[in-house]
C-alpha cells in the first residue's frame, strides 16, 4: 500500500471525500481485471454471471441466453473458461450481451469500456487487448485457432509494449498512463500463461521459442523495486516521478478538504491514520491523497502472479449449469 499506516479502505474513504471537492481520476481499473486473471477466478466469474443474469427481465434473460448459445452451442461449455484470459473474455461478453439485450448501444471496436483506467489517450496495447478479448469467445472451443490467435496477439502485444519503452520519459510521469501500462504488463503475463497452458509448454520453452522480452517498466532505475517469480517490476516513488493530473486548483481544493475533515468522525479517523511519514509536508493534501490511492493500485497483491503454478491450472466454465434460464428451452 502507499503508506503502511494508511489501510486501503481509509485511503479510499479520504479519496471519496476529496473527489467531492476535486474530481481527480479514479486509478482503479475494473475489478474484473484482477478477479478474472487470478488463480481463484472461477468463483468471481460465476458470481458475475449470476449478477448479470439477475439484472435482466425475463425477456432480456431469454435473449441473453440465446446469445450465449449462438456463440458456444447448446453444450454450453467453454474450454479453460474458468481461468485467466478466457474468464476475463467471458466476463466482458456477459456485460456486452446484457447491454445489448437492454437495448443499449455497444461498440464492437476500440477500448473495452471501463476495463482500463479511463483516459483521453489510450496506448496501443489497450486496443490490442480489447480486440483479443472480444475475439476469444468465438474461438475458445477451437484449440487450433486459439493457439494461432494467442501467439499472434502475444507478438503484437510485445510489439506494443516495446514501442512504449521508447518513450520512457512520458511513461514515468503520467499517472494514468503508468497504471494502464502496468495493466498491459499484467495482461501480457496472463496471455503467456494461457499460451503455455494450451500448448502444454513451460515458461522457459516460451522464452526460447518466442524470444519473450522483459516488458517496459513504469519508473526509473532508482525506484523502489518489487521482484516476482516471473519478472522484475519497478514501482516508482510517485512524489518524485509522477505527475498527478487533478483537474482542479489543488491548493484551493486542499483547503476545502481540510475544512471538511472535522465534519465526520470516519473522515477524522482515516485522516489520523494516513498522516505522512516523519512529518513530511506534501505538496498539497490533494496530491498526497491521490498518491495514496495510486500506490494502493500499483501495489495490488494480485499483480504478483506465480507463473509456474498458474500454468498448471485447468478449468472449463459450464454456462449451462450456471444459467438462470433452462438452457434447452
Amino acid at each position: 500500500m502507499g503508506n503502511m499506516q494508511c489501510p486501503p479502505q481509509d485511503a479510499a474513504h479520504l479519496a471519496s471525500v476529496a473527489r467531492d471537492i476535486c474530481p481527480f481520476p479514479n486509478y482503479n481499473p475494473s475489478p474484473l481485471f484482477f478477479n478474472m486473471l487470478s488463480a481463484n477466478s472461477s468463483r468471481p466469474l460465476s458470481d458475475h454471471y449470476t449478477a448479470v443474469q439477475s439484472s435482466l427481465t425475463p425477456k432480456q434473460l431469454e435473449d441473453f441466453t440465446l446469445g450465449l448459445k449462438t456463440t458456444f452451442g447448446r453444450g454450453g461449455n467453454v474450454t479453460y473458461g474458468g481461468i485467466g484470459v478466457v474468464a476475463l473474455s467471458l466476463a466482458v461478453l456477459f456485460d456486452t450481451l446484457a447491454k445489448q439485450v437492454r437495448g443499449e448501444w455497444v461498440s464492437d471496436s476500440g477500448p473495452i469500456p471501463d476495463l482500463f483506467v479511463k483516459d483521453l489517450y489510450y496506448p496501443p496495447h489497450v486496443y490490442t487487448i480489447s480486440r483479443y478479448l472480444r475475439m476469444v469467445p468465438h474461438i475458445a472451443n477451437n484449440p487450433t485457432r486459439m493457439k494461432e490467435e494467442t501467439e499472434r496477439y502475444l507478438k503484437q502485444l510485445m510489439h506494443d509494449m516495446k514501442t512504449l519503452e521508447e518513450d520512457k520519459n512520458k511513461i514515468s510521469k503520467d499517472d494514468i498512463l503508468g497504471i494502464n501500462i502496468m495493466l498491459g504488463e499484467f495482461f501480457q503475463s496472463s496471455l503467456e500463461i494461457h499460451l503455455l497452458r494450451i500448448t502444454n509448454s513451460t515458461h522457459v520453452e516460451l522464452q526460447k521459442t518466442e524470444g519473450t522480452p522483459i516488458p517496459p517498466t513504469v519508473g526509473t532505475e532508482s525506484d523502489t523495486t518489487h521482484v516476482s517469480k516471473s519478472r522484475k517490476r519497478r514501482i516508482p516513488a510517485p512524489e518524485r516521478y509522477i505527475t498527478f493530473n487533478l483537474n482542479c486548483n489543488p491548493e484551493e481544493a486542499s483547503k476545502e478538504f481540510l475544512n471538511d475533515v472535522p465534519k465526520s468522525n470516519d473522515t477524522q479517523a482515516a485522516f489520523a491514520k494516513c498522516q505522512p511519514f516523519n512529518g513530511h509536508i506534501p505538496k498539497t493534501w490533494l496530491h498526497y491523497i491521490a498518491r495514496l490511492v495510486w500506490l494502493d493500485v500499483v501495489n495490488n497483491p494480485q499483480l504478483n502472479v506465480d507463473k509456474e503454478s498458474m500454468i498448471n491450472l485447468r478449468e472449463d466454465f459450464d454456462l449451462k449449469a450456471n444459467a438462470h434460464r433452462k438452457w434447452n428451452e
Side-chain angles (χ1 to χ4, degrees):
M1 63 185 66
N3 184 334
M4 292 303 291
Q5 295 176 308
C6 184
Q9 63 270 22
D10 290 306
H13 177 77
L14 293 178
S16 69
V17 175
R19 285 197 181 99
D20 286 340
I21 302 167
C22 171
F24 72 86
N26 181 352
Y27 299 112
N28 287 288
S30 167
L32 297 179
F33 210 112
F34 293 133
N35 289 341
M36 303 309 161
L37 299 182
S38 72
N40 304 310
S41 57
S42 183
R43 175 53 64 87
L45 179 62
S46 181
D47 290 345
H48 187 63
Y49 186 35
T50 296
V52 170
Q53 292 179 93
S54 299
S55 71
L56 303 174
T57 67
K59 179 59 171 67
Q60 290 170 349
L61 181 58
E62 180 181 352
D63 293 340
F64 175 85
T65 305
L66 178 60
L68 291 177
K69 286 192 286 188
T70 300
T71 302
F72 297 103
R74 290 192 171 273
N77 186 70
V78 186
T79 305
Y80 298 145
I83 190 74
V85 296
V86 184
L88 181 57
S89 77
L90 284 181
V92 169
L93 177 65
F94 297 156
D95 288 341
T96 300
L97 284 177
K99 290 178 181 178
Q100 289 174 339
V101 301
R102 285 195 288 261
E104 301 175 26
W105 179 82
V106 181
S107 175
D108 58 1
S109 62
I112 292 172
D114 304 320
L115 187 62
F116 289 82
V117 180
K118 188 175 182 180
D119 202 358
L120 293 175
Y121 162 77
Y122 288 100
H125 72 273
V126 171
Y127 292 85
T128 299
I129 292 171
S130 296
R131 287 194 299 272
Y132 180 79
L133 290 175
R134 287 188 176 102
M135 176 189 63
V136 163
H138 304 284
I139 64 171
N141 292 332
N142 184 329
T144 301
R145 278 210 65 198
M146 176 62 83
K147 176 180 178 295
E148 292 173 351
E149 294 295 342
T150 299
E151 288 175 341
R152 184 167 71 90
Y153 272 86
L154 179 56
K155 289 179 180 178
Q156 180 60 50
L157 187 55
M158 290 191 295
H159 173 76
D160 294 342
M161 303 302 277
K162 184 178 180 180
T163 300
L164 286 168
E165 176 79 350
E166 297 171 0
D167 195 357
K168 290 182 180 179
N169 187 55
K170 183 176 182 179
I171 291 171
S172 65
K173 290 185 177 180
D174 188 282
D175 52 350
I176 297 176
L177 178 59
I179 288 182
N180 281 335
I181 289 173
M182 177 197 68
L183 295 174
E185 295 178 7
F186 182 48
F187 188 89
Q188 178 179 323
S189 180
S190 299
L191 197 58
E192 291 172 0
I193 290 170
H194 181 58
L195 182 58
L196 296 172
R197 186 181 292 130
I198 62 180
T199 57
N200 293 311
S201 303
T202 66
H203 185 205
V204 173
E205 288 172 343
L206 177 69
Q207 288 180 315
K208 288 181 179 179
T209 58
E210 300 292 336
T212 307
I214 299 298
T217 52
V218 182
T220 68
E221 292 295 340
S222 59
D223 297 336
T224 303
T225 300
H226 165 81
V227 180
S228 69
K229 287 186 178 182
S230 59
R231 58 169 54 103
K232 181 182 291 186
R233 179 166 59 85
R234 293 188 293 278
I235 297 174
E239 66 274 19
R240 293 181 58 190
Y241 299 113
I242 299 300
T243 299
F244 292 100
N245 301 300
L246 301 183
N247 306 315
C248 67
N249 182 321
E251 288 78 13
E252 293 301 319
S254 293
K255 292 177 183 178
E256 188 173 346
F257 169 77
L258 290 174
N259 288 333
D260 284 352
V261 169
K263 298 178 182 179
S264 162
N265 290 335
D266 289 341
T267 306
Q268 289 185 67
F271 187 69
K273 293 178 184 177
C274 296
Q275 292 296 302
F277 281 120
N278 301 321
H280 170 72
I281 299 175
K283 181 179 180 180
T284 71
W285 281 103
L286 263 294
H287 281 93
Y288 179 67
I289 293 168
R291 170 191 186 275
L292 291 177
V293 177
W294 191 92
L295 277 175
D296 279 338
V297 174
V298 300
N299 282 290
N300 190 311
Q302 290 175 285
L303 288 169
N304 303 332
V305 175
D306 183 345
K307 181 168 286 189
E308 299 305 325
S309 63
M310 288 285 287
I311 292 169
N312 296 321
L313 294 178
R314 304 282 194 279
E315 188 167 0
D316 294 351
F317 191 78
D318 190 343
L319 293 163
K320 182 177 179 180
N322 292 277
H324 283 196
R325 184 176 178 82
K326 289 184 179 180
W327 193 264
N328 292 325
E329 285 186 352

